[in-house]
């Protein structure tokens, strides 16, 4: 029994040995309203294709794990209400119960690995939430990076998180944290956050070669490639800091906890920035899709 169903385009690309880039689906179901969510999903897929790779948007639909969606499936998912938000802990349950769920970073990595896809483009990863020393609220994305061999291209961890602690946990888990084209770590909407990156690489070819070398060494886990948001789209950290503080205080006041924290904060920051944060989010996702496609191409050259 096949545990996942590839779209016809993804199945053909994998059979031909062409580059494929995995894409998550929570940005569609939990990140943006209809119809903007569909427009952006199509934009991201088009960007991957324009840069020489096949997009594989991943989601669980009616209990079936889909690796790559047809345009009809994408449109239907974008309009579906009550979609579960899936990570490692609940992905199998959702499938067993025949339900529909959108994949987070962790769940997308699991599906990509199952399908033989080595590169995944997303917006930002989850991490250690502020106050985690009391709440123990740490995203499963970090553990997944430590054990699943997929290179994840993101604009850093989401700026709402405790970034120094997130970096420490990634180091403990043995995850290479690579800043692309700069020495500083980016943080989602901002190009710099005052943290020096452990590693720096300046080309997709270098990143692909490092992934192949990790496999040869028998090292578990993936790589986190932090790709700074384009300069003309960024929101400086000095501007964001008080906005994030206000949004976090609001979440505490309203007793928001667990999986609800991140979507609440992102929505509140959207309101406080009058939509600017969403524009930046779209720009960084497209930028990550471009770089991920280049890395996927370089991996195919090495493996050919």
């Amino acid at each position: 029994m096949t545990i996942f169903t590839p779209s016809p385009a993804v199945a053909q690309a994998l059979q031909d040995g062409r580059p494929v880039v995995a894409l998550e689906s929570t940005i569609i179901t939990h990140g943006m309203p209809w119809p903007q969510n569909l427009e952006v999903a199509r934009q991201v897929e088009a960007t991957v294709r324009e840069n020489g790779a096949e997009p594989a948007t991943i989601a669980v639909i009616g209990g079936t794990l889909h690796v790559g969606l047809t345009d009809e499936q994408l449109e239907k998912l974008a309009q579906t209400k009550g979609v579960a938000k899936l990570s490692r802990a609940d992905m199998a349950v959702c499938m067993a119960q025949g339900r529909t769920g959108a994949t987070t970073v962790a769940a997308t990595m699991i599906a990509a690995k199952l399908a033989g896809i080595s590169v995944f483009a997303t917006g930002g990863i989850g991490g250690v939430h502020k106050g985690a020393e009391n709440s123990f609220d740490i995203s499963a994305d970090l553990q997944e990076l430590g054990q699943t061999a997929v290179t994840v291209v993101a604009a850093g961890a989401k700026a709402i998180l405790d970034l120094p602690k997130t970096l420490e946990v990634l180091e403990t888990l043995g995850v290479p944290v690579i800043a692309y084209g700069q020495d500083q770590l980016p943080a989602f909407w901002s190009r710099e956050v005052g943290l020096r990156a452990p590693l720096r690489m300046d080309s997709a070819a270098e990143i692909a070669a490092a992934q192949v070398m990790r496999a040869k060494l028998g090292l578990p886990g993936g790589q986190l490639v932090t790709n700074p948001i384009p300069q003309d789209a960024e929101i400086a950290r000095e501007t964001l800091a008080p906005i994030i503080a206000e949004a976090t205080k609001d979440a505490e006041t309203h007793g928001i906890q667990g999986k609800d924290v991140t979507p609440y904060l992102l929505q509140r920051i959207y309101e406080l920035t009058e939509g600017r944060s969403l524009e930046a989010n779209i720009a960084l996702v497209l930028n990550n899709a471009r770089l991920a496609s280049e890395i996927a191409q370089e991996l195919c050259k090495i493996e050919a």
Side-chain angles (χ1 to χ4, degrees):
M1 177 179 125
T2 307
I3 198 66
F4 67 91
T5 300
S7 67
V10 168
Q12 193 62 57
L14 291 171
Q15 185 179 320
D16 296 344
R18 291 186 284 113
V20 180
V21 172
L23 302 170
E24 64 161 279
S25 47
T26 50
I27 192 173
I28 303 167
T29 58
H30 293 76
M32 298 175 193
W34 165 267
Q36 189 173 33
N37 57 349
L38 178 61
E39 292 165 9
V40 171
R42 284 174 170 163
Q43 266 186 286
V44 175
E45 288 201 343
T47 299
V48 171
R49 291 190 185 99
E50 287 161 11
N51 286 274
E54 182 62 39
T57 300
I58 293 170
V60 174
I61 300 175
T64 299
L65 176 59
H66 289 269
V67 177
L69 301 178
T70 64
D71 193 64
E72 292 76 17
Q73 287 173 322
L74 201 64
E75 184 169 352
K76 187 176 180 182
L77 182 66
Q79 297 179 77
T80 303
K81 304 293 184 185
V83 176
K85 185 178 180 183
L86 303 180
S87 191
R88 170 173 279 268
D90 42 19
M91 188 176 183
V93 172
C94 180
M95 292 171 67
Q97 293 179 336
R99 295 165 55 210
T100 293
T103 54
T104 59
V105 168
T108 305
M109 289 180 74
I110 291 166
K113 181 65 177 170
L114 279 172
I117 299 169
S118 300
V119 185
F120 161 36
T122 186
I125 65 161
V128 180
H129 279 266
K130 292 174 181 176
E133 62 272 20
N134 298 314
S135 68
F136 290 89
D137 191 352
I138 301 173
S139 171
D141 294 353
L142 304 187
Q143 288 280 0
E144 207 61 52
L145 277 159
Q147 63 187 317
T148 302
V150 173
T151 287
V152 178
V153 181
K158 293 183 176 74
I160 56 177
L161 302 168
D162 187 321
L163 299 177
K165 285 189 177 70
T166 298
L167 188 59
E168 286 292 341
V169 171
L170 286 167
E171 182 182 351
T172 299
L173 295 170
V175 178
V177 180
I178 302 161
Y180 180 68
Q182 63 181 38
D183 294 321
Q184 290 285 315
L185 278 177
F188 206 54
W189 299 296
S190 306
R191 289 176 63 84
E192 294 184 2
V193 74
L195 290 173
R196 189 174 179 83
L199 299 163
R200 171 180 174 162
M201 289 187 175
D202 297 329
S203 72
E206 280 183 287
I207 295 164
Q211 177 166 319
V212 170
M213 189 57 69
R214 283 182 65 81
K216 287 180 179 177
L217 289 167
L219 293 171
Q223 302 184 121
L224 176 61
V225 179
T226 60
N227 184 29
I229 184 173
Q231 203 153 13
D232 60 355
E234 88 159 321
I235 305 173
R237 58 177 170 151
E238 295 80 7
T239 303
L240 270 175
I243 291 171
I244 291 171
E246 183 176 345
T248 302
K249 187 177 179 183
D250 290 347
E252 290 169 358
T253 300
H254 290 92
I256 309 297
Q257 294 179 334
K259 279 188 176 183
D260 296 330
V261 172
T262 295
Y264 177 89
L265 290 177
L266 294 179
Q267 176 60 32
R268 191 73 186 101
I269 290 164
Y270 169 79
E271 294 164 3
L272 293 169
T273 60
E274 299 179 338
R276 194 176 163 201
S277 64
L278 182 56
E279 292 171 15
N281 196 353
I282 294 167
L284 66 84
V285 170
L286 295 176
N287 194 42
N288 295 340
R290 283 189 284 271
L291 178 56
S293 301
E294 291 173 20
I295 296 167
Q297 286 192 72
E298 292 297 334
L299 279 169
C300 282
K301 288 178 191 175
I302 296 169
E303 293 164 357

